[in-house]
Amino acid sequence: MKLSSILGKYLQRRRFEMIRRNISMLNDDCKLLEIGCDKDKAFLKTLKIQTFGLDLQLGTKVDKKLNFQNNFFDCIVMIATIEHLEFPNDVIKECNRVLKDRGQLIITTPKNTPFLYIMEHVFFRHNLKIYPNFFIFNKKQLQEITEDYFELKHYETFEYGLNRLFVFEKGINEQDKLGIGNPMEVLY
């Protein structure tokens, strides 16, 4: 086994452990969606709860509408995915729709560093297959596209500052707070 493969598996295992530590509702009733899972669903296999995965590499389209009912999931995870989405704002809005109140949105994304720039150029120069980043978010930018739906509960860098973890929580729907379902029903 190559050293790079051993290191990759080690870093993957550490990343998965960090994400699991930050999921607040890992119980038997929890429903978790991973957007951008790999075809092997490696992270999802580490969990003993009901999981769903959308694999971008297999052509699953997640840019406009997630094919799940409202308030279905307790947690949504995107591991190094949001930077590859063509319409990240639409995906965040859809995450809000399919997450239950107080549900978690957990995102990891690379930090824009000179190392990232060098690595992308090395991969492209050698024609290695990597998926291009449409946009590398800084902390403020990611908070801005989530602020209408989510509150940032936890933030940390990991893997020597090259990656970042964001843990957001969905607020309570205003209609639910007031005890009314569909506001149109009140009018009639």
Side-chain angles (χ1 to χ4, degrees), residues 11-151:
L11 292 174
Q12 180 185 56
R13 188 172 60 247
R14 288 203 51 210
R15 182 179 292 189
F16 291 171
E17 288 169 3
M18 180 189 55
I19 293 167
R20 275 195 309 272
R21 266 195 327 270
N22 282 282
I23 299 173
S24 65
M25 68 264 309
L26 274 179
N27 58 48
D28 293 340
D29 298 330
C30 181
K31 292 181 195 153
L32 183 139
L33 170 65
E34 183 183 359
I35 297 175
C37 67
D38 59 358
K39 66 180 184 251
D40 298 329
K41 298 184 179 180
F43 174 66
L44 297 178
K45 288 179 181 177
T46 69
L47 303 172
K48 300 195 182 332
I49 58 172
Q50 189 175 4
T51 60
F52 301 80
L54 298 176
D55 181 4
L56 299 178
Q57 295 177 16
L58 294 179
T60 304
K61 196 75 168 157
V62 297
D63 287 333
K64 292 291 185 184
K65 180 99 167 119
L66 298 176
N67 195 19
F68 297 101
Q69 64 188 359
N70 295 352
N71 305 308
F72 187 74
F73 292 105
D74 299 289
C75 185
I76 297 176
V77 175
M78 285 190 257
I79 303 172
T81 298
I82 194 162
E83 65 274 9
H84 300 284
L85 299 175
E86 190 172 354
F87 303 104
N89 296 44
D90 293 337
V91 173
I92 294 297
K93 185 176 180 181
E94 277 297 286
C95 288
N96 177 63
R97 183 184 65 78
V98 300
L99 262 178
K100 296 176 182 175
D101 290 342
R102 301 281 186 233
Q104 287 183 296
L105 173 62
I106 299 176
I107 298 173
T108 70
T109 188
K111 189 172 183 182
N112 198 1
T113 63
F115 180 76
L116 177 65
Y117 178 80
I118 291 167
M119 288 305 295
E120 284 183 336
H121 283 79
V122 168
F123 279 111
F124 285 126
R125 177 178 292 157
H126 295 289
N127 294 322
L128 299 174
K129 186 176 182 183
I130 65 168
Y131 295 90
N133 295 322
F134 288 100
F135 190 76
I136 299 295
F137 292 91
N138 65 35
K139 184 179 178 183
K140 182 180 178 195
Q141 291 164 326
L142 194 53
Q143 285 181 280
E144 286 173 354
I145 69 166
T146 58
E147 70 186 353
D148 288 342
Y149 313 105
F150 300 98
E151 179 183 347

